[in-house]
Amino acid sequence: MRHTKAKKKGGDDMEISVSDILFMQRELQEKYREKWGGVSPAKAREQLLWMLCECGEVIDVIKKLGDEAIMKDQSVRAHFIEEMVDVLMYFGDVLLCYDISPAEFSEAYLKKHARNMKRDWTVEIDRMRENLREEADGDAKAQAPSD
């Protein structure tokens, strides 16, 4: 019998945690261990590449069907969400491959969120543009013929 901590929140809303996702991915990986080869650091790269393929499928829905269809057409929305779930499932596999615990991931996420809340994105983007200009100028000088 499968046990997760997935719970109803409020009315009909279902909510799952990082722990739930990793539990279910571990369960899936164990079921298909013979076919898929299990999880390990060596397997993480492959799972990450599969995750990127799924990101491409998400992009296809956006590009081919558009934002409005995702927001208003329930069948398009369901397809879009399913592709997003595929991305998250492979992401979970990568966490499992590197033995990253829900607590470890959650702590890092909360720290990153706190840091992002304090950042001045305008300043950072301006700094990035300036660095790119300096790189381009340096490349142009290096490629210029010398007298």
Side-chain angles (χ1 to χ4, degrees), residues 19-45:
S19 294
D20 296 327
I21 291 167
L22 294 183
F23 176 87
M24 290 184 276
Q25 283 310 110
R26 186 173 287 109
E27 179 181 57
L28 189 62
Q29 286 294 332
E30 287 174 8
K31 179 176 182 175
Y32 295 104
R33 179 183 301 275
E34 293 287 321
K35 185 173 183 160
W36 294 347
V39 293
S40 68
K43 187 82 170 161
R45 181 180 315 224

Side-chain angles (χ1 to χ4, degrees), residues 7 16 20 28 38 51 57 96 105 113-115 121 137:
K7 51 192 165 279
I16 61 175
D20 296 327
L28 189 62
M51 184 184 82
E57 292 185 26
L96 290 175
F105 179 81
H113 174 63
R115 193 169 98 215
W121 292 101
D137 290 347

Side-chain angles (χ1 to χ4, degrees), residues 36-79:
W36 294 347
V39 293
S40 68
K43 187 82 170 161
R45 181 180 315 224
E46 183 179 322
Q47 297 306 93
L48 188 58
L49 291 173
W50 281 112
M51 184 184 82
L52 293 175
C53 290
E54 294 297 339
C55 287
E57 292 185 26
V58 169
I59 292 165
D60 279 346
V61 174
I62 296 168
K63 187 171 80 173
K64 293 175 181 174
L65 302 174
D67 301 326
E68 189 171 334
I70 293 168
M71 297 305 294
K72 294 182 179 177
D73 183 322
Q74 286 306 306
S75 65
V76 172
R77 185 173 184 81
H79 179 62

